[in-house]
C-alpha cells in the first residue's frame, strides 16, 4: 500500500507539472511592451525604424529590429519563435514559403508596394504601342507573371481565368495589339530597353539604371497588385493586441509621409487602397 501511495504521489506531481506547462504555453503571447520585428536591409529597415518610433510614441511599445540579408531567414526565424512578426514580403512569396516549409504564417496588415513599371524609349503611353510591338518581359516565372498581370489590369491583354499570379505567355488568351513577348533576364532589361518597343522593369533594376518609376514609366503597377508587401505573424498571434498596435504604428501618417518624401514614388504606401 505504501508503494502504491508513493506511485500515486509521483503521478499526481507529474500531472500538476504538465498542467502548469500547459497553462504557461496557453498564456504565452507577445509581450505587451516589447516586440521583435524581422526586416530585410535597405528600405524595409528604414521604414520599420520610423514605424518603431511611432510605436514607442503612441503605444509605449519598444520595437527591436532584427535585420536580415536574405528572404528565407526572416520567415524561418518567425516560424521558430525568434521573431514576433516580420515585414518584408508579398503574399505570393508567403504562400509559397508556407507550402514549401509546412508553416502557418499569416498576413495581418498591408505595408508597401515596390511597383513594377512599364517603360519605353519611343512611346509615352501604353495605348500608343503599335500592332505587333515588341515587349520585353522578365524571363523568370514570378516577375514574368507579374508583368502580365499589370498588362491585364490595364486592359492590354487577357489572361486565362485563375492565372493572375502564376501566368506565363502561354496563358494569354486575348492579345488585341498582337504584342510580341520577348523574354529577357530581368536585370538586363534596362540595358536592352532600346531594342524593344516597351518592357517591364522591376523597381530595383530601374533605380540602379537611373530610371524613375514615377517619372519615367508609361504604366505603373497599382496597389491592387497581389505583390503588395505585408506584416506577417504566426497564425496563433493573428489577433494579438500588440501586433495590432504595431500595424497601426506602421500604417500611420508619419510613416506614409516618410515613404512619400524619401522614395519619391519608387515605393508606395499601400494600406489606404
Amino acid at each position: 500500500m505504501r508503494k502504491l501511495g508513493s506511485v500515486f504521489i509521483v503521478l499526481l506531481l507529474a500531472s500538476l507539472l504538465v498542467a502548469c506547462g500547459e497553462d504557461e504555453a496557453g498564456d504565452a503571447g507577445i509581450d505587451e511592451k516589447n516586440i521583435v520585428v524581422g526586416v530585410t536591409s535597405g528600405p524595409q529597415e528604414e521604414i520599420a525604424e520610423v514605424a518603431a518610433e511611432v510605436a514607442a510614441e503612441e503605444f509605449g511599445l519598444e520595437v527591436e529590429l532584427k535585420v536580415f540579408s536574405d528572404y528565407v531567414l526572416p520567415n524561418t526565424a518567425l516560424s521558430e519563435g525568434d521573431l514576433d512578426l516580420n515585414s518584408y514580403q508579398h503574399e505570393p512569396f508567403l504562400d509559397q514559403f508556407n507550402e514549401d516549409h509546412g508553416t502557418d504564417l499569416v498576413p495581418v496588415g498591408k505595408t508597401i508596394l515596390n511597383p513594377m513599371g512599364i517603360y519605353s524609349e519611343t512611346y509615352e503611353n501604353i495605348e500608343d504601342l503599335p500592332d505587333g510591338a515588341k515587349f520585353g518581359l522578365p524571363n523568370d516565372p514570378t516577375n514574368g507573371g507579374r508583368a502580365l498581370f499589370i498588362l491585364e489590369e490595364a486592359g492590354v491583354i487577357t489572361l486565362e481565368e485563375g492565372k493572375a499570379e502564376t501566368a506565363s505567355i502561354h496563358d494569354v488568351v486575348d492579345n488585341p495589339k498582337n504584342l510580341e513577348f520577348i523574354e529577357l533576364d530581368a536585370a538586363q532589361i534596362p540595358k536592352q530597353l532600346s531594342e524593344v518597343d516597351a518592357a517591364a522593369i522591376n523597381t530595383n533594376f530601374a533605380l540602379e539604371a537611373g530610371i524613375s518609376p514615377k517619372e519615367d514609366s508609361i504604366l505603373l503597377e497599382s496597389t491592387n497588385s497581389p505583390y503588395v508587401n505585408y506584416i506577417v505573424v504566426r497564425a496563433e498571434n493573428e489577433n494579438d493586441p500588440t501586433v495590432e498596435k504595431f500595424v497601426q504604428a506602421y500604417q500611420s501618417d508619419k510613416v506614409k509621409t516618410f515613404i512619400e518624401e524619401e522614395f519619391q514614388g519608387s515605393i508606395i504606401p499601400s494600406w489606404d487602397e
Side-chain angles (χ1 to χ4, degrees):
M1 289 296 291
R2 187 176 298 173
K3 185 179 292 185
L4 287 173
S6 299
V7 171
F8 175 76
I9 291 171
V10 170
L11 291 174
L12 178 60
L13 289 171
S15 65
L16 287 172
L17 287 171
V18 170
C20 289
E22 288 176 349
D23 287 343
E24 289 173 5
D27 291 339
I30 295 177
D31 192 291
E32 294 181 359
K33 295 295 182 181
N34 299 278
I35 193 169
V36 183
V37 177
V39 294
T40 47
S41 59
Q44 296 281 8
E45 179 185 3
E46 294 174 39
I47 297 168
E49 287 174 347
V50 181
E53 293 175 5
V54 177
E57 294 166 0
E58 297 294 327
F59 304 110
L61 179 62
E62 294 300 317
V63 179
E64 178 188 350
L65 294 181
K66 288 192 174 182
V67 183
F68 297 84
S69 58
D70 76 356
Y71 295 114
V72 174
L73 287 178
N75 275 345
T76 302
L78 177 59
S79 65
E80 293 177 351
D82 295 327
L83 303 174
D84 295 312
L85 57 84
N86 65 39
S87 177
Y88 76 102
Q89 66 193 307
H90 53 63
E91 202 163 9
F93 180 87
L94 173 62
D95 291 343
Q96 191 63 55
F97 183 91
N98 279 332
E99 182 179 337
D100 291 344
H101 297 84
T103 49
D104 191 14
L105 306 179
V106 296
V108 291
K110 288 184 177 181
T111 58
I112 59 173
L113 175 70
N114 296 297
M116 177 180 278
I118 309 299
Y119 302 87
S120 174
E121 293 188 356
T122 307
Y123 303 99
E124 296 184 356
N125 197 293
I126 193 71
E127 285 82 12
D128 296 336
L129 293 181
D131 186 77
K134 295 181 179 180
F135 190 94
L137 199 70
N139 62 5
D140 62 284
T142 298
N143 288 310
R146 185 175 183 177
L148 292 171
F149 176 85
I150 295 170
L151 291 176
E152 181 180 51
E153 192 177 38
V156 180
I157 62 172
T158 302
L159 298 171
E160 184 180 337
E161 188 173 353
K163 293 286 188 176
E165 297 175 18
T166 59
S168 73
I169 56 176
H170 305 293
D171 299 310
V172 177
V173 295
D174 190 23
N175 183 8
K177 287 182 176 289
N178 298 304
L179 298 180
E180 179 186 350
F181 293 109
I182 301 173
E183 295 181 298
L184 304 167
D185 179 81
Q188 298 302 313
I189 293 179
K191 298 177 182 179
Q192 298 172 299
L193 187 57
S194 62
E195 301 173 18
V196 294
D197 294 295
I201 303 177
N202 291 80
T203 293
N204 57 320
F205 298 134
L207 293 175
E208 288 173 7
I211 300 171
S212 167
K214 185 176 182 179
E215 301 296 331
D216 300 326
S217 65
I218 63 172
L219 178 64
L220 196 61
E221 185 175 18
S222 80
T223 50
N224 291 324
S225 167
Y227 296 95
V228 166
N229 287 179
Y230 281 86
I231 294 167
V232 172
V233 301
R234 294 181 296 279
E236 64 264 27
N237 297 133
E238 184 173 5
N239 299 309
D240 190 286
T242 309
V243 169
E244 292 175 2
K245 289 176 183 178
F246 183 78
V247 172
Q248 289 179 45
Y250 198 113
Q251 296 178 345
S252 65
D253 289 341
K254 182 174 181 177
V255 172
K256 183 177 183 180
T257 299
F258 171 79
I259 294 169
E260 291 172 343
E261 293 180 351
E262 183 71 16
F263 300 105
Q264 299 292 309
S266 60
I267 294 175
I268 301 173
S270 303
W271 51 87
D272 289 334
E273 302 300 327

